[in-house]
Amino acid sequence: MIGRIPGARLLLTLLARVLTVLALIGTGARLLPSRFADWPFLPELVSLTPWFALVAALALVLALTTRRWLTALLALASLSAGVGWVYPFFAADHDLPKRAIVAGSSEQPLTDDDAARVMTVNVYKGRADAQAIVQAVRANRVEVLALQETTDEFVDRLNRAGIKEVLPYAKIASADHKYGNGLWSASPLGSPARDDVNSSASQMPAGTVTFGGGREVRFVCVHTTSPSPGEWGQWKRSLDELSAMKAHVHTTYVFMGDFNASYDHAPFRDFLGDRFQDAARYSGHGLTMTWPADRARTPLFTAIDHIVIDQGIQAGQLKTLPIPGSDHRGLVGSIWVGR
């Protein structure tokens, strides 16, 4: 029928070509190596990578419908690349040990075993609902909590909401004495530090938790620079500074926080290297979209909050959860450090 309507066929052909060009631009942006990552607006473009696969799929359908074979081939190439990048987030088969699952389902957190439920939330310059965060900690039996963009007033509200009853140990740091980052733990935080990363973005506090089997794990609360206009170079620099942590081979790490980068950003993948793993990708949980969570008419479209695990640590049971007042969803998961 479409073939008998020249105007409709021309319109669909044009739409197929436009969508294919958009998909190819998105695919090409994702393929660029890290040295180009701070090009203006490139970080924002790359954050949309999973959605370009949908654009390519629509372009492919239209190209096949109108028999534009070259357009169809280009759309298929872009779609194949997009599916290839997303597929590992759903295909991984790393299961947590049953002991970790049992520990995570106990009524109260068990601090003398090799499992822990962990959680990270950006509290949006202290605007998040502190009571909701404490309730989420209790409901999910969280043992280590990382919060970004805290304020003194927010921490006061968090204390009044009862955070110390469930997570009595804390390390909070702020470079500008206005907005900070913090770690809260059910177990003592050994060797607490204001900034383990020596970051130019924000102070990233850290502390060591000793698990039941005696293994020590260093938790770091991460908050890198946002890739806003004019800050692209600083954004990449802050991720490169994290990448330098791979050189600390005698410490076992878990990084949690707002990385302001998805797995599709080359500097984030450089940080992971062949040592660290993004917990969502490792566990096959799927895409943990966490931002923006405060815009009613804008869907969550990128996963910039992460739990990153070191070698020898397993992760699973990831989920996101709404936090009233924040522009991020919280990210919760389980880790297992047993050998």
Side-chain angles (χ1 to χ4, degrees):
M1 185 67 177
I2 290 177
R4 299 176 184 176
I5 308 176
R9 183 182 181 88
L10 179 61
L11 180 60
L12 292 179
T13 297
L14 178 61
L15 184 57
R17 289 174 175 171
V18 169
L19 292 177
T20 298
V21 169
L22 289 175
L24 290 173
I25 290 173
T27 302
R30 207 282 193 180
L31 288 170
L32 287 173
S34 187
R35 65 179 179 273
F36 302 117
D38 57 355
W39 281 5
F41 297 105
L42 186 63
E44 292 90 334
L45 184 63
V46 172
S47 68
L48 298 172
T49 293
W51 302 102
F52 283 115
L54 297 180
V55 174
L58 180 57
L60 177 61
V61 171
L62 293 176
L64 292 174
T65 300
T66 56
R67 299 183 181 181
R68 300 301 175 182
W69 308 122
L70 178 58
T71 301
L73 181 62
L74 293 174
L76 178 61
S78 182
L79 175 60
S80 298
V83 171
W85 293 327
V86 170
Y87 178 72
F89 282 88
F90 297 89
D93 59 355
H94 298 105
D95 294 326
L96 282 172
K98 291 184 178 179
R99 288 175 292 174
I101 296 174
V102 170
S105 62
S106 63
E107 291 187 6
Q108 297 294 331
L110 304 175
T111 58
D112 59 351
D113 60 4
D114 286 327
R117 292 281 284 168
V118 299
M119 175 177 168
T120 179
V121 185
N122 182 313
V123 300
Y124 195 20
K125 299 179 180 180
R127 301 176 191 175
D129 186 332
Q131 185 66 53
I133 291 175
V134 174
Q135 289 174 352
V137 167
R138 293 182 186 275
N140 291 279
R141 300 168 298 283
V142 170
E143 294 177 47
V144 183
L145 171 69
L147 299 179
Q148 302 84 50
E149 293 190 14
T150 61
T151 63
D152 290 344
E153 192 274 336
F154 170 81
V155 173
D156 288 341
R157 285 191 280 118
L158 199 65
N159 289 335
R160 291 197 298 271
I163 191 66
K164 291 183 178 180
E165 297 173 11
V166 284
L167 303 176
Y169 304 96
K171 183 61 181 179
I172 307 165
S174 174
D176 60 6
H177 303 289
K178 185 176 183 181
Y179 302 118
N181 306 308
L183 279 174
W184 284 258
S185 174
S187 302
L189 289 171
S191 303
R194 295 182 60 84
D195 186 7
D196 256 25
V197 181
N198 192 26
S199 173
S200 60
S202 65
Q203 291 187 336
M204 302 187 188
T208 299
V209 173
T210 302
F211 284 79
R215 189 174 188 185
E216 296 183 342
V217 176
R218 187 80 172 164
F219 286 84
V220 181
C221 179
V222 172
H223 191 205
T224 61
T225 301
S226 174
S228 54
E231 294 290 335
W232 297 298
Q234 172 57 31
W235 167 78
K236 182 178 182 299
R237 185 180 303 113
S238 65
L239 288 166
D240 290 343
E241 290 163 350
L242 270 178
S243 187
M245 299 297 287
K246 294 197 297 288
H248 300 178
V249 296
H250 299 298
T251 303
T252 301
Y253 287 103
V254 170
F255 298 91
M256 302 193 298
D258 176 7
F259 288 76
N260 275 304
S262 70
Y263 189 88
D264 294 304
H265 289 98
F268 180 74
R269 297 196 304 276
D270 288 348
F271 156 62
L272 297 177
D274 58 4
R275 175 176 174 181
F276 301 126
Q277 292 270 6
D278 175 65
R281 192 173 189 270
Y282 169 89
S283 62
H285 168 84
L287 299 175
T288 52
M289 303 293 190
T290 55
W291 188 89
D294 63 334
R295 304 175 189 177
R297 298 183 180 181
T298 303
L300 295 163
F301 62 78
T302 190
I304 59 176
D305 299 272
H306 304 274
I307 297 168
V308 173
I309 55 176
D310 209 333
Q311 292 177 340
I313 297 179
Q314 300 177 62
Q317 297 182 310
L318 268 73
K319 67 176 182 179
T320 65
L321 66 163
I323 300 296
S326 177
D327 59 341
H328 290 243
R329 286 179 72 91
L331 180 63
V332 180
S334 296
I335 63 170
W336 174 260
V337 304
R339 300 183 186 277

